[in-house]
Amino acid sequence: MKELQELPVWLWIVLAAAVMLQGTWLFLHARDRGQGWKAWFWGIWGLTVVPTPALCYLLFVVLPDNRKRKADNNR
């Protein structure tokens, strides 16, 4: 626990800004994609830790959706 007390203040500010930015981006992007209530899930999860929620969102939502759209356009 002593290690957390040794972190400089500027690092805490950068981490807080990164978490807020990630949560906001995930919420807005999911809402624009029509995720409905899932947008809240992504946004809240994005406020917990960086960068795991963003990577999961990209892997499980964005990439499959892009592949589906590309397949639909090829028909």
Side-chain angles (χ1 to χ4, degrees):
M1 230 23 203
K2 192 172 184 178
E3 300 85 22
L4 293 177
Q5 294 173 349
E6 295 175 6
L7 290 177
V9 174
W10 66 267
L11 185 58
W12 285 109
I13 294 170
V14 168
L15 288 173
V19 166
M20 291 295 292
L21 181 66
Q22 175 183 261
T24 303
W25 177 77
L26 286 173
F27 173 76
L28 293 174
H29 196 265
R31 187 185 63 184
D32 290 344
R33 285 183 165 266
Q35 292 288 316
W37 66 269
K38 294 176 188 174
W40 285 100
F41 166 76
W42 289 111
I44 292 170
W45 190 28
L47 293 174
T48 59
V49 67
V50 172
T52 304
L55 293 174
C56 290
Y57 180 74
L58 291 173
L59 288 173
F60 298 120
V61 175
V62 174
L63 291 177
D65 191 44
N66 286 346
R67 287 184 189 140
K68 182 180 176 186
R69 287 183 186 180
K70 197 178 273 188
D72 289 345
N73 287 339
N74 289 337
R75 290 184 188 181

